[in-house]
Structures are given as C-alpha cells and as structure tokens.
Amino acid sequence: LADVANATNDDVRIICPSPLPELPEGVLAAAYFFAVEAITNARKYAPDKPMNVLLTAGSTLQVSVVDQGPGGATFVDGHGLAGMRERLAAFGGSLTLSSPDGGPTQVAASIPLLLRRGEGGLVAHVAAHSEKDLP
C-alpha cells in the first residue's frame, strides 16, 4: 500500500498503530484491492486533498480510507462503492460509508480473518502455536 500511496504523489498517509498478525493470503489480497480502489476513488473525487489509510486487526482486519474531500458519496447499485460492498460481502466482509456534505468521506472495510469456514484466523494461529508448545 505504501507503493500505491507514493505513486499518487499526493498527501496519502498509511497508519498501522499496532503490528498486524500473520494474515491469510486471501485476507491480504482483499484488503489490498479494497484499499487501492478506495484510494483511487478518493483521488478521483477529492483530488489534491489529504488522505489517511488506517489498518487495524482484531477479530477482523479493518481498513479505513478517509479523505478530506467534499463528501456526498453514496451507494449506487451497480457502481463504485456498491460494487466494493458486494465484493466484500461475497466472503463475509462488510463496507461502511460516512460521507456528509462538506466531508470528510470515510470508506471502511471489515474483513473476516477466516482460514476455513467458521474458523477465525487469529484463533487458529494462536491454537497452532499453543499445540506446538505442548510436550
């Protein structure tokens, strides 16, 4: 994401306040493509405005993109943000949008950390390490 942010030649700041756990490749890919699309949209509708990308993980990976543009973004069936929401929902993720008139606009993805159906990635990761430590 840092490469994408640097390529925009704009004020894009990537923030990750805590180290992320080891994540399944599918989760990383979903987060990457979501963030790239959100950054691209923000550049289109809020050119030359500062932008922050926040990454955090708990029971889900959270990716939030906030731009200081004019706001007013909405979900329109079959377009942009609605398509992003549908792609995330296909594997249990969700997208939230906050974009009051006058801005800022925040698009946030919540991506489940699933390794196998019904199994959380963090729980499985911890359990795998715990089993190895047993005599």
Side-chain angles (χ1 to χ4, degrees):
L1 287 180
D3 290 342
V4 172
N6 291 334
T8 65
N9 295 324
D10 294 315
D11 185 13
V12 179
R13 199 169 75 151
I14 308 290
I15 304 163
C16 188
S18 299
L20 297 176
E22 187 174 325
L23 299 169
E25 288 181 20
V27 172
L28 290 173
Y32 175 79
F33 288 114
F34 165 79
V36 169
E37 188 171 358
I39 290 168
T40 301
N41 285 347
R43 278 296 147 250
K44 181 177 179 181
Y45 295 104
D48 304 320
K49 299 290 184 184
M51 183 185 326
N52 291 322
V53 179
L54 175 65
L55 303 163
T56 60
S59 60
T60 62
L61 177 62
Q62 300 286 322
V63 182
S64 174
V65 178
V66 179
D67 70 65
Q68 299 302 313
T74 60
F75 291 109
V76 177
D77 286 342
H79 297 280
L81 294 171
M84 292 169 71
R85 181 175 57 186
E86 290 170 13
R87 285 187 289 282
L88 288 166
F91 56 89
S94 63
L95 185 143
T96 58
L97 170 66
S98 174
S99 187
D101 286 336
T105 294
Q106 178 186 36
V107 181
S110 178
I111 303 168
L113 304 180
L114 296 179
L115 296 175
R116 286 173 255 167
R117 186 178 301 259
E119 182 178 87
L122 288 177
V123 172
H125 181 72
V126 170
H129 286 288
S130 298
E131 290 174 21
K132 283 196 281 188
D133 297 334
L134 293 175

